[in-house]
Amino acid sequence: MKKVFYESWIAKHLLFPGYSTITLFAWVFTKWTEALARQSTINHECVHARQWTELTIASGLIIWAGMLIFGFSAWWLLLSSVVFYLWYVVEWCIRVIVGCFSSHDAYRMVSFEREARLAETDSNYLENSRYFAWIKFL
Ligand SMILES: [Zn+2]
């Protein structure tokens, strides 16, 4: 399945000037052509795509169990698609408020970012790393 969309309309219209690439859900959208894209950025964003997939599946399974055991509505499954983003924001807020980091330092300390930076220079990172590897950076 295609994961990276080059010369993306979404990236061109959604991103502020100075930003080139964004990961939304399991897909990476970039303004660049495939020939001009920096591999380090693509590697970084593909790690975020996997992190999103990991958390969506894990939270979806928990919600599904809640449906079976407690009778939760199936509508709660929609929540699983934003768990990655909720976790990201909550972790960033905790690092700013409790850790007293600046907003930029807190961003760099978020576990998802720390794992993604590992992959920037390793194009085989996703093949060789464990699932949920970001947990060790919490
Ligand atoms: Zn990142």
Coordinates of all heavy atoms in Angstrom, one line a residue, residues 44-45 48 107 113, ligand 1:
H44 N 11.7 9.7 8.9 CA 11.1 10.3 10.1 C 9.6 10.2 10.1 O 9.0 9.6 11.0 CB 11.6 11.7 10.3 CG 11.1 12.4 11.5 ND1 11.9 12.7 12.5 CD2 9.9 12.9 11.8 CE1 11.2 13.3 13.5 NE2 10.0 13.4 13.1
E45 N 9.0 10.6 9.0 CA 7.6 10.6 8.9 C 7.0 9.2 8.8 O 5.9 9.0 9.3 CB 7.1 11.5 7.7 CG 7.6 13.0 7.9 CD 7.0 13.7 9.1 OE1 5.9 13.4 9.6 OE2 7.7 14.6 9.6
H48 N 6.4 7.9 12.2 CA 5.2 8.5 12.8 C 3.9 7.7 12.2 O 3.0 7.4 13.0 CB 5.0 9.9 12.5 CG 5.9 10.8 13.3 ND1 6.2 10.6 14.6 CD2 6.6 12.0 13.0 CE1 7.0 11.5 15.1 NE2 7.3 12.4 14.1
Y107 N 8.7 19.4 22.5 CA 8.5 18.7 21.2 C 9.6 17.7 20.9 O 9.3 16.6 20.5 CB 8.3 19.8 20.1 CG 8.7 19.3 18.7 CD1 7.8 18.5 18.0 CD2 9.9 19.7 18.1 CE1 8.2 18.1 16.7 CE2 10.3 19.3 16.9 CZ 9.4 18.5 16.2 OH 9.8 18.0 14.9
E113 N 8.8 11.6 18.7 CA 9.8 12.3 18.0 C 11.2 11.7 18.2 O 12.0 11.7 17.3 CB 9.8 13.8 18.4 CG 8.6 14.6 18.1 CD 8.3 14.6 16.6 OE1 9.2 14.4 15.8 OE2 7.1 14.7 16.2
Ligands
ZN1 ZN 8.3 14.1 14.0

